[in-house]
Amino acid sequence: MAKVINYNLCAVVEGEEILSPVTMGWNETNEEIAKKEAWGGEYTIEDDGQPEPEAQPSPEARIAQLEEALELLLSGVTE
């Protein structure tokens, strides 16, 4: 499961404190931002309920797959 950070951001508008909810994907940089911005220093890290995105093959692996497919196609044409 992927993780998200939730916290409240406090803004002062015309002398009044307004809390706005913030949700963003978790990574170390975003957690540092949440630590600095979170009202009262309070934030949570939670699963977002979505599966992790599938890992994409590296460019090298993708090229190898395409070369293999091309060889199979060409071998069928020349036989």
Side-chain angles (χ1 to χ4, degrees):
M1 298 258 168
K3 295 180 182 178
V4 293
I5 302 171
N6 293 308
Y7 64 94
N8 285 311
L9 178 64
C10 182
V12 178
V13 178
E14 296 179 8
E16 182 179 341
E17 289 185 345
I18 299 175
L19 296 178
S20 300
V22 175
T23 299
M24 62 181 153
W26 180 89
N27 61 41
E28 290 179 12
T29 302
N30 285 351
E31 187 171 355
E32 289 302 315
I33 292 169
K35 285 179 184 179
K36 293 175 186 174
E37 290 186 345
W39 183 71
E42 296 179 15
Y43 65 95
T44 60
I45 299 173
E46 303 169 10
D47 285 334
D48 68 358
Q50 301 297 316
E52 290 285 341
E54 289 186 27
Q56 297 296 317
S58 68
E60 293 81 12
R62 183 72 180 127
I63 290 170
Q65 290 172 345
L66 291 170
E67 287 175 342
E68 183 179 331
L70 180 60
E71 284 182 37
L72 287 171
L73 286 171
L74 291 176
S75 68
V77 171
T78 58
E79 291 180 359

